[in-house]
Amino acid sequence: MGILNKLGIGVGTSPAREPGTPLAAERKPAKTNGSGIPAVGASRTPQLPEVSRVSNGLKEFLWSLDGLGRGTLLDLGPAWQTTLNFFIERGFRVTSDDILRGWSDFQAEETEKEKGKTLTADDYASRTPEARAKRFLAENFRYGTSSFDALLLWDTLDYLEPALAKQLVAHVTELLRPGAAVFAMFHSKKPEGFQRYRVADTTTLQVLSAKPIFPAQKVYQNREIQELFGRYRSVKSFVGRDQLRETLFIK
């Protein structure tokens, strides 16, 4: 299966959309080699309630990309038009891959395949968290080595099973070029609701309340974050009053 909302867009190629609405695909795309496909179909409705927050982490992330020119960026959230426009206008080619939605779809398909099936020892081995995570990334998250200069990770890791989160960080590290920047966020306590994010300007994020895809799986401590990103050569963190810790990693 392919992940919904895969999007590869070059400068000037994005379709017109009403401000504040995400791009959505009508059908599942076929598996690709990671180059992405244009999104088609109607926008999602209704619009999500939103608030804005000042983001020092975003400011540092953009500063680290300053002067890069026509770089490539991987966004692991939905394909929001405002975020796409922001980076496209700065010369970036953007690929949007909503990994939380993709993981949800993958698990649903796995469950459907197992219905009424007599499981063997090999089947049980393939159902371990580590085995499922490896299979998911191999089947649905295929991009070339050193394909991207930047990554928007958001708070994705908080909502993934630890086995998948660990493999995901290792996987995306291979996709990033030396010197690439990663913008990630972590909740300092279990979040009360599920949120999505989009870029409003160089220092502001729009925070949108959304229907949960998964409950929060883990609250990461500083030591655990450092271990996950042990291959990165520098890190900056900014703690907000909303219990969100923004973190910048440089490969």
Side-chain angles (χ1 to χ4, degrees), residues 151-189:
L151 172 67
L152 292 172
L153 186 56
W154 306 118
D155 58 353
T156 301
L157 298 182
D158 289 351
Y159 294 93
L160 295 177
E161 297 173 10
L164 176 56
K166 182 178 180 180
Q167 290 194 41
L168 175 64
V169 173
H171 192 81
V172 297
T173 298
E174 297 301 322
L175 305 182
L176 298 175
R177 298 186 178 105
V182 178
F183 177 61
M185 296 189 289
F186 299 90
H187 294 270
S188 59
K189 66 177 184 178

Side-chain angles (χ1 to χ4, degrees), residues 10 12-13 19 21 37 52 65 86 100 106 116 118 132 144-145 157 168 183 187 201 220 229 244-245:
T13 63
T21 57
I37 65 169
S52 296
L65 301 178
F86 180 88
L100 289 179
F106 174 80
T118 301
R132 283 193 183 229
T145 301
L157 298 182
L168 175 64
F183 177 61
H187 294 270
D201 57 43
Y220 285 91
F229 292 88
L244 267 179
R245 174 177 35 185

Side-chain angles (χ1 to χ4, degrees), residues 15 27 37 40 42 46 65 76 78 113 117 119 130 155 167 181 195 201 209 220 222 233 235-236 242 247 251:
R27 64 182 185 276
I37 65 169
V40 296
L65 301 178
L76 294 189
K113 291 177 183 177
K117 180 180 178 181
L119 299 179
E130 292 77 12
D155 58 353
Q167 290 194 41
Q195 299 172 328
D201 57 43
S209 297
Y220 285 91
N222 286 332
R233 60 181 174 84
V235 59
K236 289 185 179 180
D242 53 1
T247 310
K251 182 179 177 183

Side-chain angles (χ1 to χ4, degrees), residues 58-59 66 81 95 112 117 135 142 165-166 184 193 208 229-230:
L58 175 65
K59 181 180 178 180
D66 188 39
Q81 188 69 57
T95 300
E112 187 65 27
K117 180 180 178 181
R135 191 162 61 255
R142 300 185 295 177
K166 182 178 180 180
L208 301 96
F229 292 88

Side-chain angles (χ1 to χ4, degrees), residues 129-143:
E130 292 77 12
R132 283 193 183 229
K134 183 177 181 180
R135 191 162 61 255
F136 167 69
L137 292 172
E139 294 178 4
N140 300 278
F141 207 67
R142 300 185 295 177
Y143 301 99

Side-chain angles (χ1 to χ4, degrees), residues 68-143:
L68 184 62
R70 301 181 68 83
T72 52
L73 180 142
L74 177 61
D75 181 354
L76 294 189
W80 298 109
Q81 188 69 57
T82 50
T83 302
L84 292 168
N85 288 345
F86 180 88
F87 286 101
I88 289 170
E89 289 169 1
R90 286 158 177 77
F92 277 81
R93 181 175 178 83
V94 180
T95 300
S96 186
D97 199 333
D98 188 352
I99 194 167
L100 289 179
R101 181 63 62 189
W103 177 236
S104 176
D105 293 342
F106 174 80
Q107 289 185 309
E109 289 192 5
E110 291 276 295
T111 300
E112 187 65 27
K113 291 177 183 177
E114 293 170 358
K115 283 184 178 179
K117 180 180 178 181
T118 301
L119 299 179
T120 65
D122 289 340
D123 290 326
Y124 281 109
S126 70
R127 297 173 68 191
T128 65
E130 292 77 12
R132 283 193 183 229
K134 183 177 181 180
R135 191 162 61 255
F136 167 69
L137 292 172
E139 294 178 4
N140 300 278
F141 207 67
R142 300 185 295 177
Y143 301 99

